[in-house]
Amino acid sequence: MKFLRIIWVVPLDDRITKLGEGDINIPIADYIHHISRLALVCYFLPCYADEVVTKKAQLMGDTRLQPCVSEISGMSKVVWLPYSPDAIVVSEMLSLSRFPGSDTAEHVQHDWSPRRYLQLALERLKRECLLDILVGFETEFILLQNIVDEHGYDTYVPIETSAYCQTTGFDTVADVIRDMCTVLQAHGHQQVLHCHGESANGQYEIVTGYGDALTQADDFILRKELIQHVARTHGLVVSFLPKLFQDQAGTASHVHISLVPTSDTDRVELDDHGLSIHLSRFIAGLIDNMQALVLLTAGSPNSSKRLLDGAWAGSWSCWGFDNKEAPLRVIDRNHVEYKAFDGTVNPYLAMTAILCAGLDGISRGQCAPGPVTGDPSVLDSKPVTCTRLPQSLDESILFFSENRTRMETDGSGMISEWYRAVCSDGGIPKKALDEFLHDFCATKEAEAEYFSSKSFEEEVDILRLRY
């Protein structure tokens, strides 16, 4: 191996390597202990440019990056790139902590580390609720050919235009998809359950197996890197943009969730709808906070364009048994699919938000409202909890702000649980989380303002290859 590529994850989307500034190549020797510096000014960059839109003093200085180490094996999960002399690894964000009155210093997880937020939320779920969470992802993407037109401009055309799961379409891309699945399993050590063609032109889905939330978040990043790497070797381009074509289905990354009691018991308490009581309360919290949750799970300027009525995307905050128009599709009494999740997210922040929304329902002891049957957008009578999800980034930011107001008024809501999860018991200082959420929202506001004057076509041209 010639180089190890340390992949860093920024809050505004998944991999900072989308622009290249975070893909730091270092010699492989002693990689586990290698610590690289990166300026904090890179941390809150909007998706449209390398432009600092927050002027807070916290952006001065730098952070440190170190390959993540498994708590089980004590080793980093290094993924070898099959068509390159390099390998990739997900990194952790560190800061240098000095002890008062001493010259001694050590590297510790940074107070702005999304991966640390997820770790702390998982610890709270286990400690206070006696629950573990298992998750798995459906990774959708669109395969494009880069064609230079007669004027010398790059154009991007879907590799094929077949219908959903059509055999002839799959034949066109069989070699590419086969290579992707092989690489994910052999190099990425990820279990591929199945793959198939989706509805939009050139759109495919790869479904991978269940695992613990932190490992799955790491693998979410590595999986996208490997999918794009394989596509490039076939002369193709991959886009995870949620709405690439205005008149076709969107592209998502649905997440499947199961709650597992940590105590040994054969008894499963059920609610009135046949759900496990833990999942019922978890779903109640997701529904109650979903309008705010979307900023973290589908929060790009393009994401809301996928969340349309009648598009199998789930555009109203509700749940249903195997209901493809509900954002929460219950598979069985302890398994739910959350659909308002796409490939533009930071997986650590998104899973932290999902956990904290669910914790809100569990802590209040409320059970899920009644299930919705059919398309909620056409129902004459909807449950009072069934509300329209944000239809723009501006709306997502507004609902997120209102959720924070709930914390300040009565101590309820997703953001309130976020503070409890990461700031208690010697965790992250409240001031640090205040600053993080302030700058996160400020950057989102800048994105919303920038794209407010752009047409759909202009938006896609800017974001097609960013995600």
Side-chain angles (χ1 to χ4, degrees):
M1 189 190 319
K2 186 173 183 180
F3 289 109
L4 179 73
R5 305 182 188 184
I6 298 179
I7 307 300
W8 187 45
V9 186
V10 293
L12 272 294
D13 47 51
D14 59 345
R15 300 150 301 155
I16 198 170
T17 48
K18 73 183 190 316
L19 299 177
E21 67 266 41
D23 190 358
I24 301 172
N25 294 326
I26 64 172
I28 190 60
D30 297 326
Y31 68 87
I32 291 180
H33 306 291
H34 188 97
I35 295 176
S36 302
R37 292 191 176 196
L38 193 69
L40 268 177
V41 72
C42 299
Y43 200 59
F44 284 109
L45 296 178
C47 63
Y48 55 84
D50 287 354
E51 175 180 305
V52 180
V53 296
T54 59
K55 306 299 182 183
K56 294 177 72 67
Q58 287 77 12
L59 293 178
M60 303 299 290
D62 57 24
T63 184
R64 275 75 168 170
L65 306 179
Q66 184 177 36
C68 295
V69 175
S70 168
E71 296 177 359
I72 298 174
S73 67
M75 297 292 290
S76 295
K77 183 175 182 179
V78 176
V79 175
W80 298 70
L81 295 175
Y83 307 109
S84 166
D86 299 349
I88 57 177
V89 66
V90 174
S91 68
E92 178 60 281
M93 181 182 181
L94 306 177
S95 60
L96 190 64
S97 177
R98 297 191 180 277
F99 298 101
S102 170
D103 294 333
T104 304
E106 66 175 355
H107 287 97
V108 297
Q109 286 179 299
H110 200 285
D111 289 337
W112 281 4
S113 166
R115 197 172 187 272
R116 185 182 180 194
Y117 296 163
L118 178 55
Q119 287 175 309
L120 291 171
L122 288 167
E123 289 171 7
R124 179 163 181 244
L125 182 72
K126 180 178 289 188
R127 180 178 65 251
E128 297 185 11
C129 306
L130 302 180
L131 292 170
D132 279 328
I133 185 170
L134 297 178
V135 301
F137 288 97
E138 302 174 8
T139 304
E140 294 181 350
F141 53 92
I142 292 180
L143 286 169
L144 302 167
Q145 300 176 81
N146 181 198
I147 299 174
V148 180
D149 66 17
E150 65 272 19
H151 303 293
Y153 293 106
D154 287 330
T155 61
Y156 296 91
V157 180
I159 191 172
E160 49 85 16
T161 58
S162 63
Y164 175 82
C165 280
Q166 189 173 351
T167 303
T168 54
F170 195 86
D171 286 343
T172 305
V173 299
D175 289 344
V176 185
I177 300 298
R178 188 183 300 112
D179 278 1
M180 287 178 178
C181 293
T182 299
V183 167
L184 285 172
Q185 294 187 113
H187 295 259
H189 311 293
Q190 301 184 30
Q191 179 190 21
V192 175
L193 299 179
H194 65 262
C195 59
H196 60 83
E198 277 288 353
S199 180
N201 292 344
Q203 187 181 49
Y204 287 83
E205 173 183 285
I206 296 177
V207 181
T208 45
Y210 259 159
D212 70 273
L214 190 62
T215 299
Q216 288 297 305
D218 291 340
D219 283 351
F220 184 93
I221 299 159
L222 295 171
R223 183 161 53 251
K224 293 175 67 178
E225 286 286 323
L226 289 173
I227 287 172
Q228 290 184 317
H229 176 75
V230 172
R232 283 193 295 269
T233 66
H234 286 269
L236 300 173
V237 175
V238 166
S239 180
F240 298 97
L241 193 66
K243 196 68 173 178
L244 194 58
F245 309 116
Q246 199 162 19
D247 59 347
Q248 297 182 34
T251 300
S253 290
H254 300 170
V255 56
H256 291 255
I257 299 168
S258 291
L259 297 177
V260 182
T262 57
S263 58
D264 294 330
T265 177
D266 294 329
R267 181 175 175 271
V268 178
E269 186 180 356
L270 304 180
D271 74 354
D272 294 341
H273 310 295
L275 303 177
S276 75
I277 199 70
H278 301 302
L279 185 63
S280 179
R281 291 170 178 168
F282 197 87
I283 286 174
L286 291 178
I287 289 175
D288 191 47
N289 292 278
M290 196 174 295
Q291 289 178 312
L293 174 61
V294 165
L295 184 64
L296 282 304
T297 64
S300 78
N302 179 264
S303 293
S304 60
K305 296 175 178 62
R306 182 182 70 87
L307 300 176
L308 303 176
D309 295 341
W312 290 8
S315 54
W316 292 75
S317 57
C318 63
W319 73 278
F321 289 107
D322 212 19
N323 184 352
K324 290 186 176 294
E325 283 299 333
L328 291 168
R329 182 172 75 101
V330 170
I331 313 300
D332 61 40
R333 67 185 184 184
N334 199 38
H335 175 186
V336 64
E337 174 189 22
Y338 176 67
K339 304 176 73 171
F341 198 111
D342 63 43
T344 68
V345 305
N346 178 304
Y348 307 113
L349 286 182
M351 287 309 305
T352 299
I354 287 173
L355 276 172
C356 292
L359 280 166
D360 180 51
I362 292 173
S363 64
R364 288 190 283 150
Q366 64 182 100
C367 287
V372 169
T373 302
D375 187 347
S377 68
V378 300
L379 294 179
D380 294 329
S381 178
K382 300 180 182 67
V384 66
T385 56
C386 186
T387 54
R388 185 69 169 83
L389 295 187
Q391 299 181 62
S392 68
L393 181 53
D394 278 322
E395 283 193 9
S396 292
I397 296 167
L398 176 62
F399 285 125
F400 191 83
S401 176
E402 290 175 352
N403 197 274
R404 186 159 190 171
T405 300
R406 285 176 56 184
M407 177 186 74
E408 296 165 354
T409 55
D410 63 10
S412 69
M414 173 187 73
I415 297 177
S416 180
E417 291 297 331
W418 196 328
Y419 274 83
R420 290 191 187 100
V422 308
C423 297
S424 60
D425 300 324
I428 291 168
K430 180 179 181 296
K431 180 181 178 183
L433 186 54
D434 286 340
E435 293 167 346
F436 177 90
L437 293 177
H438 174 276
D439 282 8
F440 176 84
C441 290
T443 311
K444 283 295 176 188
E445 288 167 0
E447 290 182 348
E449 181 180 1
Y450 179 85
F451 285 99
S452 64
S453 61
K454 305 295 182 186
S455 67
F456 176 80
E457 291 75 18
E458 290 172 325
E459 177 181 284
V460 169
D461 282 344
I462 294 168
L463 300 179
R464 181 189 291 109
L465 302 185
R466 293 294 183 113
Y467 298 110

